[in-house]
Amino acid sequence: MVVSTSPLPQAVALPRGERVPVRDLPAATAPGPVRVRCPRAPIRTLEAQHRDAILHHLLTLGERDRYLRFGYAAQDEHIRRYVDGLRFGLDEVFGIFNRRLELIAMAHLAYMVSSERGSDSAEFGVSVSAHARGRGYGHQLFGRAVVHARNHGVRYLYIHALSENAPMLRIARSAGATVVQHAGESECHLELPPADFESHVSELIEEEVARTDYWLKACRRGWRRLMRWLAARG
C-alpha cells in the first residue's frame, strides 16, 4: 500500500455571498442499478368454494401462457375439466388475491401416490396473471408450497415444464433443484429437508395472516358495495 506524503490542499476562502459555479463542481457518480424487493404477498389455501375464482384466473391466461402452464394448447374446455378435477382436501391449492378479491396467482401442489413410496412425492405447478408478473409471486408460491410439503412428509418435489418455460426453470434452479432436459421438456426434482418447529410455525402464521387479509378485503368490498347502493338510492 502506498501512502501519500504530499500536503493536503488548503481550502480557498470565497468572498461573502459568492458561489462556486456549478460547472466547476465535480460530477456526481452515477448510481448503480437499484434492485427493488417486492413485498411478500399474503398466500392462502384455496378451497372448493374458490373454484369459480380459479376458473376465471386460468381462463384469462393467454394462449402462450396456457401452453407453458399445461404443456399443451389448453382450450377453455380443457381448463374447465382441470378445475372440476381439483382434489381439494387431498391436494393443496394456494392463491394470491388482489384488493378486489380477484385471484391473480395460484399454485397447485399435487400429491403423487404410488404403491412403492406412498405419497412422499408431490408435483408443483404455478400460474400468474399477465398484469401481476414481475413481483416475485411465482417464487413466493413455490416457497409456500415447499414449506407445506415438508410439513406433510413430502421428501421429493417435482416440476414438469417445457424447456422454453424459463421462469419456471429459474424458480426450480434457484431452489437447488436438479433439472434434466429431454426432447423439449424438463423435469426438475428437489429433495426436501424434513419438517421442523420453524416450518410448522411459519406455515401456521402465514396462513392466518393470509386469511385475515382476505377477510379484510372482503369487508372493504362489501362496504364499497353498500356505499354505492346508498348513493344510488339517495
Side-chain angles (χ1 to χ4, degrees):
M1 181 175 64
V2 179
V3 180
S4 173
T5 59
S6 58
L8 295 175
Q10 295 182 354
V12 179
L14 296 175
R16 185 179 182 85
E18 185 173 344
R19 298 181 179 179
V20 179
V22 174
R23 64 177 179 274
D24 293 336
L25 295 176
T29 304
V34 178
R35 299 184 63 182
V36 179
R37 183 180 295 275
C38 298
R40 186 164 183 82
I43 300 173
R44 67 158 295 170
T45 302
L46 302 184
E47 301 163 349
Q49 68 192 51
H50 298 113
R51 280 190 197 272
D52 290 343
I54 295 171
L55 178 62
H56 177 75
H57 163 71
L58 294 175
L59 288 177
T60 57
L61 295 178
E63 181 178 347
R64 172 70 175 170
D65 295 329
R66 295 183 183 191
Y67 176 67
L68 293 178
R69 171 61 182 86
F70 295 101
Y72 63 94
Q75 303 300 313
D76 290 358
E77 185 56 34
H78 298 141
I79 292 177
R80 289 190 177 92
R81 286 203 297 267
Y82 165 79
V83 174
D84 290 340
L86 288 173
R87 306 177 299 178
F88 294 100
L90 178 59
D91 296 342
E92 294 295 336
V93 186
F94 305 100
I96 298 175
F97 292 87
N98 64 12
R99 60 184 178 84
R100 294 184 295 273
L101 284 187
E102 298 168 342
L103 185 64
I104 57 176
M106 63 162 288
H108 183 190
L109 185 67
Y111 291 99
M112 303 165 61
V113 180
S114 65
S115 56
E116 295 83 7
R117 294 189 304 188
S119 60
D120 66 345
S121 304
E123 183 177 356
F124 174 81
V126 66
S127 58
V128 180
S129 298
H131 68 275
R133 292 184 189 142
R135 306 176 190 176
Y137 289 163
H139 280 274
Q140 294 179 33
L141 285 164
F142 181 77
R144 178 74 169 85
V146 165
V147 172
H148 182 85
R150 289 176 57 197
N151 290 340
H152 288 76
V154 173
R155 294 181 56 196
Y156 305 98
L157 188 62
Y158 293 88
I159 300 174
H160 297 279
L162 298 173
S163 296
E164 57 193 288
N165 192 346
M168 188 71 260
L169 297 181
R170 188 161 53 247
I171 292 173
R173 288 193 173 100
S174 67
T178 301
V179 180
V180 178
Q181 296 181 328
H182 178 70
E185 296 185 356
S186 297
E187 180 178 296
C188 316
H189 65 271
L190 178 67
E191 186 171 355
L192 304 180
D196 53 23
F197 177 77
E198 182 179 356
S199 67
H200 283 289
V201 172
S202 64
E203 182 179 23
L204 176 63
I205 293 175
E206 185 164 4
E207 182 65 26
E208 290 304 314
V209 168
R211 288 181 178 272
T212 301
D213 175 80
Y214 185 91
W215 178 80
L216 291 173
K217 289 174 179 175
C219 290
R220 284 196 295 265
R221 185 178 65 171
W223 176 256
R224 287 194 296 267
R225 288 178 176 178
L226 175 61
M227 296 305 294
R228 286 196 297 267
W229 179 79
L230 292 175
R233 289 178 58 89

